[in-house]
Amino acid sequence: MVNRHKNHTHRHSSRRRPQGSARRTQQGSRRAARAELGDIVDPRRLHNPGHPAAVFIGMPGAGKTRIGMEVARALGMDFLDSDDEIERREGMTIPQIFERFGEPRFRAIENEVVVGLLDSFEGILSLGGGSPMHEGTREALVRYEREGGKIVYLRADPEEAMLRSQHGGNRPLLADDARATWMRLYAQRDPVYSAIATVAVPTRGKTPMKAAKAVMEGMNERVVHVTGSTIEPYDVRIGANTISHLPQVLGEAPVRVALIHTSSVQRHSDKARTILRRAGYTVSDIIIPDAEMGKTIDVASSIWKRLGQEGFTRSDAIVGLGGGACTDLAGFVAATWMRGIRYVNCPTSLLAMVDASTGGKTGINTEEGKNLVGSFYTPAGVLADLDALGTLPNDIFVEGLGEVAKSGFIRDPRILDILEDHAGQLRSFDCTDISPELLDVIAELIERTVTVKAYHVSNDLRERGLREFLNYGHTLGHAIEKLEHFRWRHGQAVAVGMVFAAELSRLTGHIDQELVDYHRELLGSLGLRTSWDGGSFDDVLALMHRDKKARGNTLRFVILDDVAHPIHLDDPPLDAVREAFELIRR
């Protein structure tokens, strides 16, 4: 296939490196940790030259040293506690520094040491509890995060942490009335920790090994931040076991949570229900029909009735768990119940992960067309749990590649490179045999596709212009879905729609035949359809006039002027539209 669009490190340590048998013992413990934790994280992905692989923050007694050492051993990396480095450099203990110079001087020393370590140490770094409270340290941590660093907040249970901190020593701030002081510091520090952390792991009831496993899963996550002037910021988390973040995203306000899902994702809904109930929420289990059959006013009405009967208030919440149709419906119910309540999306299909769950478009279908009734209402968060791919049939996975390819054509050509390089593996996707290498490819594709969507959503939430570019291939795609009575999967219909849009782009003088051919070759190599012969032009044209992009009687299409350069095409010659349609019937 011709790709048309391709125009000296110093390690700090508080102790000498182990020699002889001591080194062999350390290597043995690393092997043991790796064996128990498994290949959760590829250390190469965490390699950040000149910077720590991860920085641990948290309250005294949270287990930063113990858990950090477990993670370092599993990854074959060095571990360093910043307090140890301070004591080594100053030649006295932390309490002695406090006693001789006072806290302000200690914080200045600590800031200097931590900033230096953030720019030189390459292992796992643990910081003292008060370190992030210093403005200079906090700014350095934010810069570190922006350069791809991982900041792990160990969210400790107060009772457990206070018990450990009282026996740990070396904590001058807890010398008097440790309990009251701990709680006061926690109230001050928790918001700061939460704001700068990229990974937050509750440690209550977890052994150090289990906590280390949760940390490593979090470190392996990819996070896309969705922001905008009209958007309450939220994160899309992509990785294994991200569903465990449900309580964290929902927060403490909700008492009741409606878990909306289809019967086909029972395994994942069982897990979500368990997580929610253990966190103290009252869970209402609501099962809806599969796919587009669940996106109707009748289904929505039955859920509204259920919420009313069970006393859902404005402070309660909804979780949508399933494919794109399910998350669309769950968001619509959340947007309309009491004029809007909190909701979280947990997509289980590739299509839902890259498209439907992100962006705040919620809606239902009517007899007249798809998604004609809905609302723009953003979620509190999106948890794209890659574990769900382990139950995904090949055809449902492949259709999701249609939306992935679309994002490559309209903004990120690197997506097209990745699809082309791994087309065979992606087309023959087998949920029972997903290699770590393929899973990483899929995770990158999801991250990049969500990033494309986040760009458009952040700048145009209500689809008044820029966001319409996300509909490349959708004008015909939605018509195909309607005329096929939704027997065609969305991603397959969009793939045909993209070929149609490419042909229309060529016929109106915007691109050449080579790029049209590239559409057909790439999409076909992924197992996506590139032609359709299931309806007349007149039927299709009538549905196109009902498309959301249409303006009165004026047809409006999204076409390409080049790869990564979509444009609007208003009211093109009808002969060109007809000819483009005939070309996808072959």
Side-chain angles (χ1 to χ4, degrees):
M1 183 190 304
V2 177
N3 193 329
R4 164 63 169 76
H5 73 274
K6 287 182 179 174
N7 290 322
H8 168 70
T9 301
H10 175 65
R11 288 180 175 269
H12 292 262
S13 177
S14 60
R15 56 182 64 86
R16 296 177 62 187
R17 291 184 180 276
Q19 300 295 323
S21 61
R23 174 176 288 176
R24 288 191 294 272
T25 299
Q26 186 180 71
Q27 290 171 342
S29 66
R30 285 178 173 172
R31 285 193 295 270
R34 283 186 184 138
E36 187 162 349
L37 291 173
D39 296 324
I40 299 174
V41 180
D42 183 348
R44 292 171 297 181
R45 274 200 63 217
L46 300 177
H47 184 56
N48 193 2
H51 304 285
V55 176
F56 281 62
I57 61 175
M59 288 293 292
K64 299 185 294 293
T65 297
R66 179 71 186 277
I67 297 169
M69 291 178 70
E70 293 286 358
V71 171
R73 278 196 289 265
L75 297 175
M77 294 180 176
D78 289 338
F79 172 82
L80 179 60
D81 187 318
S82 63
D83 282 351
D84 290 344
E85 184 67 10
I86 292 169
E87 291 182 339
R88 183 195 66 78
R89 198 186 84 161
E90 297 299 313
M92 62 182 75
T93 66
I94 302 297
Q96 288 172 337
I97 298 173
F98 264 78
E99 182 178 359
R100 181 173 300 184
F101 303 112
E103 185 178 359
R105 174 58 182 157
F106 169 76
R107 294 301 177 198
I109 295 171
E110 182 180 48
N111 172 65
E112 185 178 331
V113 169
V114 171
V115 170
L117 292 174
L118 290 174
D119 287 332
S120 58
F121 180 62
E122 294 188 356
I124 304 296
L125 176 64
S126 171
L127 304 187
S131 185
M133 306 304 290
H134 187 282
E135 183 178 0
T137 304
R138 194 161 58 249
E139 291 175 353
L141 285 169
V142 170
R143 288 194 301 271
Y144 162 75
E145 188 271 334
R146 287 174 180 166
E147 294 173 358
K150 305 285 186 179
I151 302 176
V152 180
Y153 173 22
L154 297 182
R155 185 173 277 119
D157 173 75
E159 296 298 329
E160 290 182 356
M162 283 187 289
L163 184 62
R164 284 195 294 266
S165 63
Q166 288 169 7
H167 291 87
N170 209 34
R171 295 187 170 98
L173 290 181
L174 300 181
D176 299 317
D177 196 357
R179 181 183 182 85
T181 302
W182 196 98
M183 294 303 296
R184 176 177 56 80
L185 291 174
Y186 176 74
Q188 296 170 355
R189 294 175 179 180
D190 177 67
V192 174
Y193 295 158
S194 299
I196 64 175
T198 59
V199 181
V201 176
T203 60
R204 181 178 181 178
K206 289 185 174 74
T207 65
M209 188 63 73
K210 286 185 177 179
K213 183 177 184 293
V215 166
M216 291 172 69
E217 288 174 340
M219 289 168 62
N220 206 32
E221 289 177 1
R222 299 168 184 261
V223 181
V224 179
H225 307 292
V226 184
T227 61
S229 59
T230 61
I231 294 175
E232 187 73 25
Y234 64 95
D235 289 339
V236 180
R237 293 190 169 272
I238 305 154
N241 198 36
T242 56
I243 200 170
S244 64
H245 294 300
L246 262 176
Q248 174 190 339
V249 180
L250 285 169
E252 298 179 357
V255 173
R256 301 168 189 84
V257 174
L259 178 60
I260 301 175
H261 64 95
T262 62
S263 58
S264 60
V265 295
Q266 192 69 47
R267 169 180 163 183
H268 310 301
S269 62
D270 288 346
K271 183 176 180 180
R273 191 182 310 108
T274 298
I275 291 170
L276 291 168
R277 287 178 174 165
R278 284 178 178 171
Y281 302 106
T282 299
V283 182
S284 296
D285 200 60
I286 302 177
I287 302 176
I288 64 171
D290 278 326
E292 300 298 328
M293 298 303 294
K295 283 179 60 175
T296 68
I297 189 64
D298 291 337
V299 174
S301 181
S302 69
I303 297 176
W304 291 324
K305 183 176 181 179
R306 178 90 176 266
L307 298 181
Q309 291 172 338
E310 299 188 9
F312 270 69
T313 68
R314 184 165 288 169
S315 63
D316 293 320
I318 285 173
V319 172
L321 188 150
C326 178
T327 58
D328 279 355
L329 176 76
F332 179 67
V333 170
T336 52
W337 185 252
M338 294 198 169
R339 297 183 177 88
I341 65 174
R342 194 171 183 84
Y343 81 106
V344 178
N345 277 335
C346 299
T348 59
S349 70
L350 178 62
L351 179 66
M353 291 179 185
V354 300
D355 183 39
S357 64
T358 301
K361 259 191 182 180
T362 75
I364 55 175
N365 303 329
T366 68
E367 287 295 322
E368 289 67 37
K370 184 174 180 180
N371 297 328
L372 294 181
V373 175
S375 173
F376 293 99
Y377 191 65
T378 54
V382 177
L383 304 175
D385 194 330
L386 297 182
D387 290 344
L389 298 178
T391 59
L392 206 60
N394 173 269
D395 62 329
I396 298 180
F397 175 83
V398 167
E399 72 142 336
L401 297 175
E403 287 286 351
V404 175
K406 176 206 73 179
S407 294
F409 281 120
I410 67 170
R411 183 162 178 83
D412 183 1
R414 176 59 186 151
I415 291 175
L416 304 179
D417 290 335
I418 297 171
L419 290 174
E420 185 175 339
D421 292 343
H422 300 277
Q425 294 170 281
L426 295 167
R427 178 175 183 157
S428 60
F429 173 85
D430 180 354
C431 66
T432 66
D433 185 25
I434 310 175
S435 68
E437 293 76 19
L438 181 59
L439 189 63
D440 198 52
V441 168
I442 295 170
E444 183 177 359
L445 286 171
I446 296 172
E447 180 186 25
R448 286 182 172 275
T449 304
V450 170
T451 300
V452 170
K453 184 153 194 179
Y455 165 76
H456 291 84
V457 169
S458 297
N459 290 285
D460 180 22
L461 175 64
R462 299 187 176 276
E463 200 171 27
R464 295 192 172 100
L466 180 68
R467 183 171 178 165
E468 286 185 334
F469 293 147
L470 291 171
N471 289 312
Y472 183 61
H474 286 59
T475 303
L476 178 62
H478 283 165
I480 291 174
E481 288 181 273
K482 177 63 178 174
L483 292 171
E484 291 287 350
H485 304 287
F486 299 108
R487 290 187 296 265
W488 269 51
R489 295 204 170 275
H490 175 74
Q492 293 285 2
V494 167
V496 177
M498 284 189 284
V499 175
F500 165 80
E503 290 284 12
L504 186 58
S505 302
R506 180 186 63 81
L507 290 166
T508 53
H510 291 88
I511 65 173
D512 58 24
Q513 184 65 47
E514 188 180 1
L515 182 50
V516 178
D517 293 342
Y518 181 66
H519 275 69
R520 283 195 169 88
E521 292 168 6
L522 178 63
L523 296 173
S525 72
L526 295 168
L528 293 163
R529 300 193 188 192
T530 57
S531 64
W532 175 72
D533 191 18
S536 71
F537 177 70
D538 289 340
D539 290 338
V540 167
L541 187 64
L543 287 170
M544 285 178 173
H545 274 290
R546 298 176 191 167
D547 183 77
K548 296 187 296 298
K549 293 184 299 304
R551 299 292 186 268
N553 293 321
T554 301
L555 285 175
R556 193 178 213 204
F557 296 92
V558 174
I559 64 170
L560 294 183
D561 199 28
D562 200 352
V563 169
H565 191 219
I567 59 174
H568 289 109
L569 178 65
D570 292 337
D571 211 15
L574 189 58
D575 287 346
V577 178
R578 186 188 300 273
E579 185 175 351
F581 176 73
E582 292 299 327
L583 288 168
I584 60 95
R585 291 162 67 91
R586 297 176 179 175

